[in-house]
Amino acid sequence: MRASPYDLTDWGYSPVTIETAAGKAEYIEAQRDFGDRASALRQQLIAVCDRVLAAVNP
């Protein structure tokens, strides 16, 4: 949302100016970090799904 046209400064989020090279680099880095953090959760979800499937399909 920080890269969108919405003003989120009242909520403590500064805008990412993707129109500039620096802003684009900041956006790419933020997306990479988000993906990295989501990886652990994704792995946990897969493990839970595997256990559920194994329990219903012995």
Side-chain angles (χ1 to χ4, degrees):
M1 292 293 294
R2 292 180 52 217
S4 73
Y6 305 108
D7 182 2
L8 302 175
T9 53
D10 287 345
W11 287 281
Y13 298 101
S14 60
V16 175
T17 54
I18 59 170
E19 302 83 15
T20 66
K24 189 174 234 178
E26 179 184 0
Y27 179 79
I28 290 169
E29 181 60 30
Q31 290 299 310
R32 186 173 291 127
D33 180 55
F34 182 73
D36 290 346
R37 290 183 291 127
S39 181
L41 179 59
R42 190 169 32 254
Q43 293 304 316
Q44 290 174 348
L45 181 57
I46 290 169
V48 168
C49 289
D50 286 344
R51 286 195 302 271
V52 169
L53 290 172
V56 296
N57 296 316

CSV table of all heavy atoms in Angstrom, one decimal:
chain,number,residue,atom,x,y,z
A,1,MET,N,0.8,-1.2,0.0
A,1,MET,CA,0.0,0.0,0.0
A,1,MET,C,0.9,1.3,0.0
A,1,MET,O,0.4,2.3,-0.4
A,1,MET,CB,-0.9,0.0,1.2
A,1,MET,CG,-2.0,-1.0,1.2
A,1,MET,SD,-3.2,-0.8,-0.1
A,1,MET,CE,-4.0,0.7,0.4
A,2,ARG,N,2.1,1.2,0.5
A,2,ARG,CA,2.9,2.4,0.5
A,2,ARG,C,3.3,2.8,-0.9
A,2,ARG,O,3.6,4.0,-1.1
A,2,ARG,CB,4.2,2.1,1.3
A,2,ARG,CG,3.9,1.9,2.8
A,2,ARG,CD,5.2,1.6,3.6
A,2,ARG,NE,6.2,2.6,3.3
A,2,ARG,CZ,7.5,2.3,3.2
A,2,ARG,NH1,7.9,1.0,3.3
A,2,ARG,NH2,8.4,3.2,2.9
A,3,ALA,N,3.2,2.0,-1.9
A,3,ALA,CA,3.5,2.3,-3.3
A,3,ALA,C,2.3,2.8,-4.0
A,3,ALA,O,2.3,3.0,-5.2
A,3,ALA,CB,4.2,1.2,-4.0
A,4,SER,N,1.1,2.8,-3.4
A,4,SER,CA,-0.1,3.2,-4.0
A,4,SER,C,-0.3,4.7,-3.9
A,4,SER,O,0.4,5.4,-3.2
A,4,SER,CB,-1.3,2.4,-3.3
A,4,SER,OG,-1.5,3.0,-2.1
A,5,PRO,N,-1.4,5.2,-4.6
A,5,PRO,CA,-1.7,6.6,-4.5
A,5,PRO,C,-2.3,7.0,-3.2
A,5,PRO,O,-2.6,8.2,-3.0
A,5,PRO,CB,-2.6,6.8,-5.7
A,5,PRO,CG,-3.2,5.5,-5.9
A,5,PRO,CD,-2.2,4.5,-5.5
A,6,TYR,N,-2.5,6.1,-2.3
A,6,TYR,CA,-3.2,6.4,-1.0
A,6,TYR,C,-2.2,7.0,0.0
A,6,TYR,O,-1.1,6.5,0.1
A,6,TYR,CB,-3.9,5.2,-0.4
A,6,TYR,CG,-4.8,4.6,-1.3
A,6,TYR,CD1,-4.5,3.3,-1.9
A,6,TYR,CD2,-6.0,5.2,-1.7
A,6,TYR,CE1,-5.4,2.8,-2.8
A,6,TYR,CE2,-6.9,4.6,-2.5
A,6,TYR,CZ,-6.6,3.4,-3.1
A,6,TYR,OH,-7.5,2.9,-4.0
A,7,ASP,N,-2.6,8.0,0.7
A,7,ASP,CA,-1.7,8.6,1.7
A,7,ASP,C,-1.9,7.9,3.1
A,7,ASP,O,-3.0,8.0,3.7
A,7,ASP,CB,-2.1,10.1,1.9
A,7,ASP,CG,-1.2,10.9,2.9
A,7,ASP,OD1,-0.3,10.3,3.4
A,7,ASP,OD2,-1.5,12.1,3.1
A,8,LEU,N,-0.9,7.2,3.5
A,8,LEU,CA,-0.9,6.4,4.7
A,8,LEU,C,-0.1,7.0,5.8
A,8,LEU,O,0.2,6.4,6.8
A,8,LEU,CB,-0.5,5.0,4.5
A,8,LEU,CG,-1.2,4.2,3.4
A,8,LEU,CD1,-0.6,2.9,3.2
A,8,LEU,CD2,-2.7,4.1,3.8
A,9,THR,N,0.3,8.3,5.6
A,9,THR,CA,1.2,8.9,6.6
A,9,THR,C,0.5,9.0,8.0
A,9,THR,O,1.2,9.0,9.0
A,9,THR,CB,1.7,10.3,6.2
A,9,THR,OG1,0.6,11.1,5.8
A,9,THR,CG2,2.6,10.2,5.0
A,10,ASP,N,-0.8,9.2,8.1
A,10,ASP,CA,-1.5,9.3,9.3
A,10,ASP,C,-1.4,8.0,10.1
A,10,ASP,O,-1.5,8.0,11.3
A,10,ASP,CB,-2.9,9.6,9.2
A,10,ASP,CG,-3.2,11.1,8.8
A,10,ASP,OD1,-2.2,11.9,8.9
A,10,ASP,OD2,-4.3,11.4,8.3
A,11,TRP,N,-1.1,6.9,9.4
A,11,TRP,CA,-0.9,5.6,10.1
A,11,TRP,C,0.5,5.2,10.3
A,11,TRP,O,0.9,4.1,10.6
A,11,TRP,CB,-1.6,4.5,9.3
A,11,TRP,CG,-3.1,4.6,9.4
A,11,TRP,CD1,-3.9,4.1,10.4
A,11,TRP,CD2,-4.0,5.2,8.4
A,11,TRP,NE1,-5.2,4.4,10.1
A,11,TRP,CE2,-5.3,5.0,8.9
A,11,TRP,CE3,-3.9,5.8,7.2
A,11,TRP,CZ2,-6.4,5.5,8.3
A,11,TRP,CZ3,-5.0,6.3,6.5
A,11,TRP,CH2,-6.2,6.1,7.1
A,12,GLY,N,1.4,6.1,10.0
A,12,GLY,CA,2.8,5.9,10.2
A,12,GLY,C,3.6,5.3,9.1
A,12,GLY,O,4.7,4.8,9.3
A,13,TYR,N,3.0,5.3,7.9
A,13,TYR,CA,3.7,4.7,6.7
A,13,TYR,C,4.1,5.7,5.7
A,13,TYR,O,3.2,6.4,5.2
A,13,TYR,CB,2.8,3.6,6.1
A,13,TYR,CG,2.4,2.5,7.0
A,13,TYR,CD1,1.2,2.4,7.6
A,13,TYR,CD2,3.3,1.4,7.2
A,13,TYR,CE1,0.9,1.3,8.4
A,13,TYR,CE2,3.0,0.4,8.0
A,13,TYR,CZ,1.8,0.3,8.6
A,13,TYR,OH,1.5,-0.7,9.4
A,14,SER,N,5.3,5.9,5.5
A,14,SER,CA,5.8,6.8,4.5
A,14,SER,C,5.6,6.2,3.1
A,14,SER,O,5.7,5.0,2.9
A,14,SER,CB,7.3,7.2,4.7
A,14,SER,OG,8.0,6.0,4.6
A,15,PRO,N,5.4,7.1,2.1
A,15,PRO,CA,5.2,6.6,0.8
A,15,PRO,C,6.5,6.1,0.1
A,15,PRO,O,7.5,6.5,0.5
A,15,PRO,CB,4.6,7.8,0.0
A,15,PRO,CG,5.1,9.0,0.8
A,15,PRO,CD,5.2,8.6,2.2
A,16,VAL,N,6.3,5.1,-0.8
A,16,VAL,CA,7.4,4.6,-1.6
A,16,VAL,C,7.2,5.2,-3.0
A,16,VAL,O,6.2,5.0,-3.6
A,16,VAL,CB,7.4,3.1,-1.7
A,16,VAL,CG1,8.5,2.6,-2.6
A,16,VAL,CG2,7.6,2.5,-0.3
A,17,THR,N,8.2,6.0,-3.4
A,17,THR,CA,8.1,6.7,-4.7
A,17,THR,C,8.7,5.8,-5.7
A,17,THR,O,9.8,6.0,-6.1
A,17,THR,CB,8.8,8.1,-4.6
A,17,THR,OG1,10.2,7.8,-4.2
A,17,THR,CG2,8.2,9.0,-3.7
A,18,ILE,N,7.8,4.9,-6.3
A,18,ILE,CA,8.3,4.0,-7.3
A,18,ILE,C,8.6,4.6,-8.6
A,18,ILE,O,9.1,4.0,-9.5
A,18,ILE,CB,7.3,2.8,-7.4
A,18,ILE,CG1,5.9,3.3,-7.9
A,18,ILE,CG2,7.2,2.0,-6.2
A,18,ILE,CD1,5.0,2.2,-8.3
A,19,GLU,N,8.3,5.9,-8.7
A,19,GLU,CA,8.6,6.6,-9.9
A,19,GLU,C,10.1,6.9,-10.1
A,19,GLU,O,10.6,7.3,-11.1
A,19,GLU,CB,7.8,7.9,-10.0
A,19,GLU,CG,6.3,7.8,-9.9
A,19,GLU,CD,5.8,7.7,-8.5
A,19,GLU,OE1,6.6,8.0,-7.6
A,19,GLU,OE2,4.7,7.3,-8.3
A,20,THR,N,10.8,6.8,-8.9
A,20,THR,CA,12.2,7.1,-8.9
A,20,THR,C,13.0,5.8,-8.8
A,20,THR,O,12.5,4.8,-8.4
A,20,THR,CB,12.6,8.0,-7.7
A,20,THR,OG1,12.4,7.3,-6.5
A,20,THR,CG2,11.8,9.3,-7.7
A,21,ALA,N,14.3,5.9,-9.2
A,21,ALA,CA,15.2,4.7,-9.1
A,21,ALA,C,15.3,4.2,-7.7
A,21,ALA,O,15.2,3.0,-7.4
A,21,ALA,CB,16.5,5.0,-9.8
A,22,ALA,N,15.5,5.2,-6.8
A,22,ALA,CA,15.6,4.9,-5.4
A,22,ALA,C,14.4,4.3,-4.8
A,22,ALA,O,14.4,3.3,-4.0
A,22,ALA,CB,16.0,6.1,-4.6
A,23,GLY,N,13.2,4.8,-5.2
A,23,GLY,CA,11.9,4.3,-4.7
A,23,GLY,C,11.7,2.9,-5.3
A,23,GLY,O,11.2,2.0,-4.5
A,24,LYS,N,12.0,2.7,-6.5
A,24,LYS,CA,11.8,1.4,-7.1
A,24,LYS,C,12.7,0.3,-6.4
A,24,LYS,O,12.2,-0.8,-6.1
A,24,LYS,CB,12.1,1.4,-8.6
A,24,LYS,CG,11.8,0.1,-9.3
A,24,LYS,CD,12.0,0.3,-10.8
A,24,LYS,CE,10.7,0.0,-11.5
A,24,LYS,NZ,10.7,0.1,-12.9
A,25,ALA,N,13.9,0.7,-6.1
A,25,ALA,CA,14.8,-0.2,-5.4
A,25,ALA,C,14.3,-0.5,-4.0
A,25,ALA,O,14.4,-1.6,-3.5
A,25,ALA,CB,16.2,0.4,-5.3
A,26,GLU,N,13.8,0.5,-3.3
A,26,GLU,CA,13.2,0.3,-2.0
A,26,GLU,C,12.0,-0.6,-2.0
A,26,GLU,O,11.8,-1.5,-1.2
A,26,GLU,CB,12.7,1.7,-1.4
A,26,GLU,CG,12.1,1.6,0.0
A,26,GLU,CD,11.6,2.9,0.5
A,26,GLU,OE1,11.7,4.0,-0.2
A,26,GLU,OE2,11.0,2.9,1.6
A,27,TYR,N,11.1,-0.4,-3.1
A,27,TYR,CA,10.0,-1.3,-3.3
A,27,TYR,C,10.4,-2.8,-3.5
A,27,TYR,O,9.9,-3.7,-2.9
A,27,TYR,CB,9.2,-0.8,-4.4
A,27,TYR,CG,7.9,-1.6,-4.7
A,27,TYR,CD1,6.8,-1.5,-4.0
A,27,TYR,CD2,7.9,-2.6,-5.7
A,27,TYR,CE1,5.7,-2.3,-4.2
A,27,TYR,CE2,6.8,-3.4,-6.0
A,27,TYR,CZ,5.7,-3.2,-5.2
A,27,TYR,OH,4.6,-4.0,-5.5
A,28,ILE,N,11.4,-3.0,-4.4
A,28,ILE,CA,11.9,-4.3,-4.6
A,28,ILE,C,12.4,-5.0,-3.4
A,28,ILE,O,12.1,-6.1,-3.1
A,28,ILE,CB,12.9,-4.3,-5.8
A,28,ILE,CG1,12.2,-3.9,-7.1
A,28,ILE,CG2,13.7,-5.6,-5.9
A,28,ILE,CD1,13.2,-3.6,-8.2
A,29,GLU,N,13.2,-4.2,-2.6
A,29,GLU,CA,13.8,-4.8,-1.4
A,29,GLU,C,12.7,-5.1,-0.4
A,29,GLU,O,12.7,-6.2,0.3
A,29,GLU,CB,14.7,-3.8,-0.8
A,29,GLU,CG,15.4,-4.3,0.5
A,29,GLU,CD,16.2,-5.5,0.3
A,29,GLU,OE1,16.8,-5.8,-0.7
A,29,GLU,OE2,16.3,-6.3,1.3
A,30,ALA,N,11.6,-4.3,-0.3
A,30,ALA,CA,10.5,-4.5,0.7
A,30,ALA,C,9.8,-5.8,0.2
A,30,ALA,O,9.4,-6.6,1.1
A,30,ALA,CB,9.6,-3.3,0.7
A,31,GLN,N,9.5,-6.0,-1.1
A,31,GLN,CA,8.9,-7.1,-1.6
A,31,GLN,C,9.7,-8.4,-1.3
A,31,GLN,O,9.1,-9.4,-1.0
A,31,GLN,CB,8.5,-7.0,-3.0
A,31,GLN,CG,7.5,-6.0,-3.3
A,31,GLN,CD,6.1,-6.3,-2.7
A,31,GLN,OE1,5.7,-7.4,-2.8
A,31,GLN,NE2,5.6,-5.4,-1.9
A,32,ARG,N,11.0,-8.3,-1.5
A,32,ARG,CA,11.9,-9.4,-1.3
A,32,ARG,C,11.8,-9.8,0.2
A,32,ARG,O,11.7,-11.0,0.5
A,32,ARG,CB,13.3,-9.1,-1.7
A,32,ARG,CG,14.3,-10.2,-1.6
A,32,ARG,CD,15.6,-9.9,-2.3
A,32,ARG,NE,15.4,-9.7,-3.7
A,32,ARG,CZ,15.8,-8.7,-4.4
A,32,ARG,NH1,16.4,-7.7,-3.8
A,32,ARG,NH2,15.7,-8.6,-5.7
A,33,ASP,N,11.9,-8.8,1.1
A,33,ASP,CA,11.8,-9.1,2.5
A,33,ASP,C,10.5,-9.7,2.9
A,33,ASP,O,10.5,-10.7,3.7
A,33,ASP,CB,12.1,-7.8,3.3
A,33,ASP,CG,12.0,-8.0,4.8
A,33,ASP,OD1,12.8,-8.8,5.3
A,33,ASP,OD2,11.2,-7.3,5.5
A,34,PHE,N,9.4,-9.2,2.3
A,34,PHE,CA,8.1,-9.8,2.6
A,34,PHE,C,8.0,-11.2,2.2
A,34,PHE,O,7.5,-12.1,2.9
A,34,PHE,CB,7.0,-9.0,1.9
A,34,PHE,CG,5.6,-9.4,2.1
A,34,PHE,CD1,5.0,-9.2,3.3
A,34,PHE,CD2,4.9,-10.1,1.1
A,34,PHE,CE1,3.7,-9.6,3.5
A,34,PHE,CE2,3.6,-10.5,1.3
A,34,PHE,CZ,3.0,-10.3,2.5
A,35,GLY,N,8.6,-11.6,1.0
A,35,GLY,CA,8.6,-12.9,0.6
A,35,GLY,C,9.4,-13.8,1.4
A,35,GLY,O,9.1,-15.0,1.7
A,36,ASP,N,10.6,-13.3,1.9
A,36,ASP,CA,11.4,-14.1,2.8
A,36,ASP,C,10.7,-14.4,4.1
A,36,ASP,O,10.8,-15.5,4.6
A,36,ASP,CB,12.7,-13.3,3.1
A,36,ASP,CG,13.7,-13.3,1.9
A,36,ASP,OD1,13.4,-14.0,0.9
A,36,ASP,OD2,14.6,-12.5,1.9
A,37,ARG,N,10.1,-13.4,4.7
A,37,ARG,CA,9.4,-13.6,5.9
A,37,ARG,C,8.2,-14.5,5.8
A,37,ARG,O,7.9,-15.3,6.6
A,37,ARG,CB,8.9,-12.3,6.5
A,37,ARG,CG,10.1,-11.4,7.0
A,37,ARG,CD,9.6,-10.1,7.7
A,37,ARG,NE,9.1,-9.2,6.7
A,37,ARG,CZ,7.8,-8.7,6.8
A,37,ARG,NH1,7.1,-8.9,7.8
A,37,ARG,NH2,7.4,-7.9,5.8
A,38,ALA,N,7.5,-14.5,4.6
A,38,ALA,CA,6.4,-15.4,4.4
A,38,ALA,C,6.8,-16.8,4.2
A,38,ALA,O,6.0,-17.7,4.4
A,38,ALA,CB,5.6,-14.9,3.1
A,39,SER,N,8.0,-17.0,3.8
A,39,SER,CA,8.5,-18.4,3.5
A,39,SER,C,8.4,-19.3,4.7
A,39,SER,O,7.9,-20.5,4.6
A,39,SER,CB,10.0,-18.3,3.0
A,39,SER,OG,10.4,-19.6,2.7
A,40,ALA,N,8.7,-18.8,5.9
A,40,ALA,CA,8.6,-19.7,7.1
A,40,ALA,C,7.2,-20.0,7.4
A,40,ALA,O,6.8,-21.2,7.7
A,40,ALA,CB,9.2,-18.9,8.3
A,41,LEU,N,6.3,-19.1,7.2
A,41,LEU,CA,4.9,-19.3,7.4
A,41,LEU,C,4.3,-20.3,6.4
A,41,LEU,O,3.6,-21.2,6.7
A,41,LEU,CB,4.1,-18.0,7.4
A,41,LEU,CG,2.5,-18.2,7.6
A,41,LEU,CD1,2.2,-18.8,8.9
A,41,LEU,CD2,1.9,-16.8,7.5
A,42,ARG,N,4.8,-20.1,5.2
A,42,ARG,CA,4.3,-21.0,4.1
A,42,ARG,C,4.8,-22.5,4.4
A,42,ARG,O,4.0,-23.4,4.2
A,42,ARG,CB,4.9,-20.5,2.8
A,42,ARG,CG,4.4,-21.2,1.5
A,42,ARG,CD,4.8,-20.5,0.2
A,42,ARG,NE,6.1,-19.8,0.2
A,42,ARG,CZ,6.3,-18.5,0.3
A,42,ARG,NH1,5.3,-17.7,0.3
A,42,ARG,NH2,7.5,-18.0,0.3
A,43,GLN,N,6.0,-22.6,4.8
A,43,GLN,CA,6.5,-24.0,5.2
A,43,GLN,C,5.7,-24.6,6.3
A,43,GLN,O,5.4,-25.8,6.3
A,43,GLN,CB,8.0,-23.9,5.5
A,43,GLN,CG,8.9,-23.6,4.3
A,43,GLN,CD,8.7,-24.5,3.1
A,43,GLN,OE1,8.6,-25.7,3.3
A,43,GLN,NE2,8.5,-23.9,2.0
A,44,GLN,N,5.3,-23.8,7.3
A,44,GLN,CA,4.5,-24.3,8.4
A,44,GLN,C,3.2,-24.7,7.9
A,44,GLN,O,2.6,-25.8,8.3
A,44,GLN,CB,4.4,-23.3,9.5
A,44,GLN,CG,5.7,-23.0,10.3
A,44,GLN,CD,5.5,-21.8,11.2
A,44,GLN,OE1,4.5,-21.1,11.2
A,44,GLN,NE2,6.5,-21.7,12.1
A,45,LEU,N,2.6,-24.0,7.1
A,45,LEU,CA,1.2,-24.3,6.5
A,45,LEU,C,1.3,-25.6,5.7
A,45,LEU,O,0.4,-26.4,5.8
A,45,LEU,CB,0.7,-23.1,5.7
A,45,LEU,CG,-0.6,-23.3,5.0
A,45,LEU,CD1,-1.7,-23.6,6.1
A,45,LEU,CD2,-1.0,-22.1,4.2
A,46,ILE,N,2.3,-25.7,4.9
A,46,ILE,CA,2.5,-27.0,4.1
A,46,ILE,C,2.6,-28.2,5.0
A,46,ILE,O,2.0,-29.2,4.8
A,46,ILE,CB,3.7,-26.8,3.2
A,46,ILE,CG1,3.4,-25.8,2.1
A,46,ILE,CG2,4.1,-28.2,2.6
A,46,ILE,CD1,4.6,-25.5,1.2
A,47,ALA,N,3.4,-28.0,6.1
A,47,ALA,CA,3.6,-29.1,7.1
A,47,ALA,C,2.2,-29.5,7.7
A,47,ALA,O,1.9,-30.7,7.9
A,47,ALA,CB,4.6,-28.8,8.1
A,48,VAL,N,1.4,-28.5,8.1
A,48,VAL,CA,0.1,-28.8,8.7
A,48,VAL,C,-0.8,-29.5,7.7
A,48,VAL,O,-1.4,-30.5,8.1
A,48,VAL,CB,-0.5,-27.5,9.3
A,48,VAL,CG1,-1.9,-27.7,9.6
A,48,VAL,CG2,0.3,-27.0,10.5
A,49,CYS,N,-0.8,-29.0,6.5
A,49,CYS,CA,-1.6,-29.6,5.5
A,49,CYS,C,-1.2,-31.0,5.2
A,49,CYS,O,-2.1,-31.9,5.0
A,49,CYS,CB,-1.6,-28.8,4.2
A,49,CYS,SG,-2.5,-27.2,4.3
A,50,ASP,N,0.1,-31.3,5.2
A,50,ASP,CA,0.6,-32.7,5.0
A,50,ASP,C,0.1,-33.6,6.1
A,50,ASP,O,-0.3,-34.7,5.8
A,50,ASP,CB,2.1,-32.7,4.9
A,50,ASP,CG,2.6,-32.1,3.6
A,50,ASP,OD1,1.8,-32.0,2.6
A,50,ASP,OD2,3.8,-31.8,3.5
A,51,ARG,N,0.1,-33.1,7.4
A,51,ARG,CA,-0.3,-33.9,8.5
A,51,ARG,C,-1.8,-34.2,8.4
A,51,ARG,O,-2.3,-35.3,8.7
A,51,ARG,CB,0.1,-33.2,9.8
A,51,ARG,CG,1.5,-33.3,10.1
A,51,ARG,CD,1.9,-33.0,11.6
A,51,ARG,NE,1.4,-31.7,12.0
A,51,ARG,CZ,2.1,-30.5,11.9
A,51,ARG,NH1,3.3,-30.6,11.4
A,51,ARG,NH2,1.6,-29.4,12.3
A,52,VAL,N,-2.6,-33.2,8.0
A,52,VAL,CA,-4.0,-33.3,7.9
A,52,VAL,C,-4.4,-34.3,6.8
A,52,VAL,O,-5.2,-35.3,7.0
A,52,VAL,CB,-4.7,-32.0,7.7
A,52,VAL,CG1,-6.2,-32.2,7.3
A,52,VAL,CG2,-4.6,-31.1,8.9
A,53,LEU,N,-3.7,-34.2,5.7
A,53,LEU,CA,-4.0,-35.1,4.6
A,53,LEU,C,-3.6,-36.5,4.9
A,53,LEU,O,-4.2,-37.5,4.6
A,53,LEU,CB,-3.2,-34.6,3.3
A,53,LEU,CG,-3.8,-33.4,2.7
A,53,LEU,CD1,-2.9,-32.9,1.6
A,53,LEU,CD2,-5.2,-33.6,2.2
A,54,ALA,N,-2.5,-36.7,5.7
A,54,ALA,CA,-2.0,-38.0,6.1
A,54,ALA,C,-3.0,-38.6,7.0
A,54,ALA,O,-3.2,-39.8,7.0
A,54,ALA,CB,-0.6,-37.9,6.7
A,55,ALA,N,-3.6,-37.8,7.9
A,55,ALA,CA,-4.6,-38.3,8.9
A,55,ALA,C,-5.9,-38.7,8.2
A,55,ALA,O,-6.5,-39.7,8.6
A,55,ALA,CB,-4.9,-37.2,9.9
A,56,VAL,N,-6.3,-38.1,7.2
A,56,VAL,CA,-7.6,-38.4,6.5
A,56,VAL,C,-7.4,-39.4,5.4
A,56,VAL,O,-8.4,-40.0,4.9
A,56,VAL,CB,-8.4,-37.2,6.0
A,56,VAL,CG1,-8.8,-36.3,7.2
A,56,VAL,CG2,-7.6,-36.4,5.0
A,57,ASN,N,-6.2,-39.6,4.9
A,57,ASN,CA,-5.9,-40.5,3.9
A,57,ASN,C,-4.7,-41.5,4.3
A,57,ASN,O,-3.6,-41.4,3.8
A,57,ASN,CB,-5.5,-39.8,2.6
A,57,ASN,CG,-6.6,-39.0,2.0
A,57,ASN,OD1,-7.7,-39.5,2.0
A,57,ASN,ND2,-6.3,-37.8,1.6
A,58,PRO,N,-5.0,-42.3,5.3
A,58,PRO,CA,-3.9,-43.1,5.8
A,58,PRO,C,-3.3,-44.1,4.8
A,58,PRO,O,-3.8,-44.6,3.9
A,58,PRO,CB,-4.5,-43.9,7.0
A,58,PRO,CG,-6.0,-43.6,7.0
A,58,PRO,CD,-6.2,-42.6,6.0
